[in-house]
Amino acid sequence: MGLFPELDEKKTIDNVKNYFKKEFPRLKARSHMNLTNIQSPSFDSVGPGGSFRNHQEDKIVQSIWTKEYVKATYQIIENCPRKYMLILKHHYLYEETNEQTMDKIGLESTAYNDSKNKALLYFADAFIDFEDLQVLETGETAADWRNSDEKRA
């Protein structure tokens, strides 16, 4: 074993695909909230303890959070090795088909699929500070592994 535990590449790739197909479009949609149109705070009493929640603040925090995820996604893709960047950008950001992306970057099917999988694994490594998309061969996430390692130290 090296510095990092072995990844379950198939599950990690599936997680990254799920991020781009399901989570990322929702993050993009939610990140376009115009913060200048937020109303004055209103506090709602919740529960018998009378705790208060500022819903406008929640909206602002969620908007900032989603914008950071969207920004990080674009920046990480831009910083990938060129071939990986082109695959991720064209297929997931521009929503081109695999065939369109293959034609644009000049790869045949087998080479494209291999490069696409490597690009998705690269993205999972780079995105770890935002979301842990990696699954280890042991079945735990990389974050779980790091936390258990910290407990042993």
Side-chain angles (χ1 to χ4, degrees):
M1 184 168 132
L3 290 174
F4 302 103
E6 291 297 317
L7 285 180
D8 182 325
E9 291 185 355
K10 182 180 177 345
K11 288 181 181 175
T12 299
I13 289 166
D14 288 345
N15 279 351
V16 178
K17 285 179 179 179
N18 182 65
Y19 171 77
F20 279 114
K21 290 178 183 171
K22 294 183 179 174
E23 302 297 327
F24 187 64
R26 293 182 72 202
L27 288 167
K28 284 193 310 186
R30 291 181 180 194
S31 71
H32 294 295
M33 181 179 184
N34 185 350
L35 297 180
T36 60
N37 292 334
I38 302 257
Q39 302 169 350
S40 297
S42 63
F43 297 93
D44 291 336
S45 177
V46 178
S51 62
F52 294 95
R53 184 161 190 106
N54 181 342
H55 296 288
Q56 294 302 322
E57 183 179 308
D58 292 345
K59 289 179 183 179
I60 292 168
V61 169
Q62 183 180 29
S63 178
I64 291 168
W65 174 82
T66 57
K67 284 179 183 182
E68 286 301 310
Y69 266 62
V70 170
K71 182 179 171 184
T73 300
Y74 280 94
Q75 287 177 334
I76 288 169
I77 290 173
E78 282 296 322
N79 290 318
C80 283
R82 182 165 171 71
K83 182 170 34 172
Y84 298 167
M85 182 264 299
L86 291 172
I87 291 169
L88 295 172
K89 186 183 280 189
H90 285 278
H91 186 65
Y92 293 106
L93 300 184
Y94 301 161
E95 298 178 5
E96 294 176 358
T97 66
N98 283 317
E99 292 75 21
Q100 290 170 320
T101 304
M102 279 189 283
D103 289 344
K104 276 225 169 88
I105 62 176
L107 290 176
E108 296 297 321
S109 181
T110 302
Y112 171 78
N113 288 325
D114 183 54
S115 294
K116 181 180 171 186
N117 287 339
K118 288 178 181 174
L120 293 167
L121 291 169
Y122 191 95
F123 181 87
D125 265 341
F127 200 63
I128 195 90
D129 290 337
F130 293 90
E131 187 72 28
D132 189 0
L133 301 171
Q134 298 176 327
V135 179
L136 306 180
E137 285 185 350
T138 61
E140 56 186 352
T141 65
D144 293 337
W145 176 78
R146 281 192 310 279
N147 290 336
S148 66
D149 194 45
E150 289 170 6
K151 290 176 188 172
R152 282 183 257 143

